Amino acid sequence: MDLLIVGSGFYGLTIAERAAAAGRKVTVIDRRHHIGGNAYSADEPETGIEVHQYGAHLFHTSNPTVWEYVNRFTDFTSYVHRVYTTHKGVVFPLPINLGTINQFFQAAYTPDQARALVHELAGEFDAKDAANLEEKGIALIGRPLYEAFIRDYTAKQWQTDPKDLPAEVISRLPVRYTYDNRYFNDTWEGLPVDGYTAWIERMADHPNIEVKLSTDYFDESQPLNKKATVGQVPIVYTGPVDRYFDYAEGELSWRTLDFEQEVLPIGDFQGTSVMNYADADVPYTRIHEFKHFHPERADRYPTDKTVVVREYSRFATREDEPYYPVNTADDRSGLLAYRELAKGESDVYFGGRLGTYQYLDMHMAIGSALSMWNNQLA
Ligand code: FAD
């Protein structure tokens, strides 16, 4: 073995694929029973509808190197992501745009009129003096839009009143003064034509790559553990950085999600792939209806059944899946301390979402793995 990779998410698999193509023998271990990390998807058995097992994943990028690279393993559909939100029983388009504003104020403002209105409403606070997230939100888009679309949704995401959250949790709240409600601004977007798992499996399909699943790097009863491998072989580690150092500098905090999946005996539940729930009286943040991610599969998917997944958000404990870094001041100083420790580990390369304590979209994870390969490992 020339290289050991801990974690078979997009970061680990990109390094594995590049190393294998360069003639290196690579072993990838993952503690889960499947490859692909959080991008893993599986067909729901009763309906055959593809469900992203760790939350909906939409691929988008403006990076031509990444786009060219991912197209070696999969084609992409022409899916364009759009998000809607229900507030007080009425559905509005997101991100907040001219359609949202005109529907909310029951008006027909032009772009300039809407801009002037939001500017006037936002005058209640100055963003740079905002003492908490609520004041910052009002300073950015004005109280009416903040209270309707941001306040209660944010409280559900963080299980904390926005008055008690730091202002820096949001840097900006995008408002578009057109009717464009495409969610992403990127050059390319789409979903893998035959699913995430087929894409991921193609990346790992090389005689130089061996994959060992249900194998935890910290389990000393299996031979490829930390004690037995550090210093023996170069290691790319994409698990949680605090776990690697046995939490010596404290635990970094994460938010996690709980998913409640249901097969419903109807053809179409909500007419779209994702519906947010902006208000406090609905306990979940959003509902995904997975058949809508693949309208081109209409002839394969049942017309009398659908799969919906309700999503709830909360702070993670050590036992939960870490999803989004919380990034408090304590987390930031802990991360700096872990980075110092990481520098002292010879031939261990920390990467990916968990290894760098950073939210990374798929294209960012792939792009940064390509850079690590080219600059440090090739
Ligand atoms: P991961 O995919 O998390 O892979 C890390 C792997 O390491 C895991 O498989 C884990 O089991 C393994 N591991 C950890 N510890 C150990 C250990 N001790 N021993 C062995 N293996 C271990 N990106 C987008 O572009 N679009 C989206 O719409 C999108 N939606 C997302 C929604 C959610 C809820 C989340 C959490 C992420 C989303 N992402 C999205 C981000 C995408 O999942 C990441 O880019 C991707 O997960 C990063 O890949 P990674 O390899 O760094 O991490």
Side-chain angles (χ1 to χ4, degrees):
M1 190 205 328
D2 301 319
L3 182 63
L4 173 64
I5 297 177
V6 180
S8 67
F10 270 119
Y11 195 95
L13 284 185
T14 301
I15 303 260
E17 190 280 332
R18 289 291 72 207
R24 313 259 180 101
K25 295 258 182 243
V26 186
T27 300
V28 182
I29 64 168
D30 203 295
R31 67 189 170 95
R32 291 177 176 164
H33 70 279
H34 60 76
I35 60 168
N38 281 351
Y40 172 70
S41 72
D43 292 348
E44 190 288 320
E46 190 183 334
T47 58
I49 295 171
E50 181 183 351
V51 175
H52 307 163
Q53 301 293 302
Y54 300 91
H57 275 63
L58 296 314
F59 188 81
H60 55 98
T61 187
S62 296
N63 180 329
T65 307
V66 170
W67 183 240
E68 185 279 319
Y69 179 72
V70 298
N71 273 274
R72 296 183 200 175
F73 310 102
T74 181
D75 291 330
F76 288 85
T77 66
S78 53
Y79 177 81
V80 173
H81 196 45
R82 293 179 206 279
V83 175
Y84 295 86
T85 188
T86 297
H87 166 59
K88 291 194 174 158
V90 177
V91 174
F92 295 84
L94 288 180
I96 296 173
N97 61 68
L98 196 50
T100 323
I101 293 170
N102 277 332
Q103 195 177 331
F104 184 77
F105 291 107
Q106 294 283 292
Y109 295 124
T110 64
D112 283 347
Q113 288 169 331
R115 201 177 274 112
L117 175 72
V118 170
H119 184 74
E120 182 192 325
L121 294 169
E124 188 179 333
F125 286 104
D126 192 333
K128 64 179 180 338
D129 301 331
N132 54 49
L133 189 149
E134 173 142 319
E135 291 184 10
K136 181 88 169 271
I138 295 170
L140 291 170
I141 59 172
R143 188 178 287 275
L145 294 170
Y146 164 78
E147 288 184 349
F149 299 114
I150 309 297
R151 183 186 60 193
D152 296 354
Y153 192 83
T154 306
K156 285 195 280 191
Q157 277 184 311
W158 292 91
Q159 292 192 303
T160 306
D161 186 323
K163 287 196 199 85
D164 299 323
L165 286 169
E168 65 264 21
V169 168
I170 44 171
S171 51
R172 49 189 289 274
L173 289 171
V175 176
R176 291 186 192 154
Y177 295 100
T178 67
Y179 290 94
D180 176 11
N181 73 327
R182 267 183 73 156
Y183 198 73
F184 299 116
N185 292 317
D186 281 311
T187 312
W188 298 285
E189 71 172 289
L191 290 167
V193 165
D194 35 26
Y196 278 99
T197 298
W199 169 9
I200 288 156
E201 281 173 350
R202 276 181 219 124
M203 289 180 79
D205 182 17
H206 193 288
N208 288 346
I209 300 179
E210 185 182 8
V211 178
K212 289 183 187 295
L213 299 174
S214 305
T215 304
D216 190 321
Y217 191 50
F218 301 103
D219 172 4
E220 291 181 10
S221 72
Q222 63 84 16
L224 294 173
N225 65 69
K226 180 181 170 194
K227 230 185 206 158
T229 56
V230 172
Q232 306 299 315
V233 61
I235 292 157
V236 173
Y237 175 82
T238 75
V241 62
D242 52 356
R243 173 70 188 92
Y244 182 93
F245 293 106
D246 217 7
Y247 307 105
E249 302 289 344
E251 266 180 70
L252 301 176
S253 52
W254 293 84
R255 278 193 302 125
T256 193
L257 301 173
D258 295 314
F259 301 109
E260 205 177 78
Q261 182 172 320
E262 206 180 345
V263 177
L264 299 175
I266 49 171
D268 196 349
F269 174 71
Q270 61 185 19
T272 192
S273 50
V274 53
M275 178 65 69
N276 287 6
Y277 285 85
D279 301 337
D281 56 348
V282 177
Y284 37 85
T285 49
R286 50 190 183 167
I287 298 182
H288 284 101
E289 184 173 12
F290 275 87
K291 64 163 42 169
H292 289 293
F293 285 125
H294 288 282
E296 80 289 353
R297 294 182 190 166
D299 57 339
R300 267 200 278 154
Y301 282 171
T303 51
D304 58 348
K305 282 181 187 162
T306 193
V307 180
V308 295
V309 177
R310 292 179 196 86
E311 192 174 297
Y312 300 79
S313 175
R314 62 181 170 81
F315 285 100
T317 66
R318 209 183 269 190
E319 283 69 44
D320 292 314
E321 288 296 342
Y323 282 145
Y324 300 107
V326 174
N327 217 0
T328 61
D330 278 355
D331 291 327
R332 287 194 291 274
S333 63
L335 178 62
L336 291 178
Y338 283 121
R339 282 192 190 148
E340 281 307 308
L341 288 177
K343 281 185 200 156
E345 287 293 287
S346 82
D347 242 5
V348 181
Y349 302 85
F350 293 81
R353 199 172 62 84
L354 305 167
T356 60
Y357 188 66
Q358 234 185 332
Y359 178 80
L360 297 175
D361 272 326
M362 292 176 279
H363 69 281
M364 296 156 90
I366 293 165
S368 99
L370 290 173
S371 301
M372 179 187 270
W373 168 255
N374 289 329
N375 300 331
Q376 297 183 62
L377 293 164

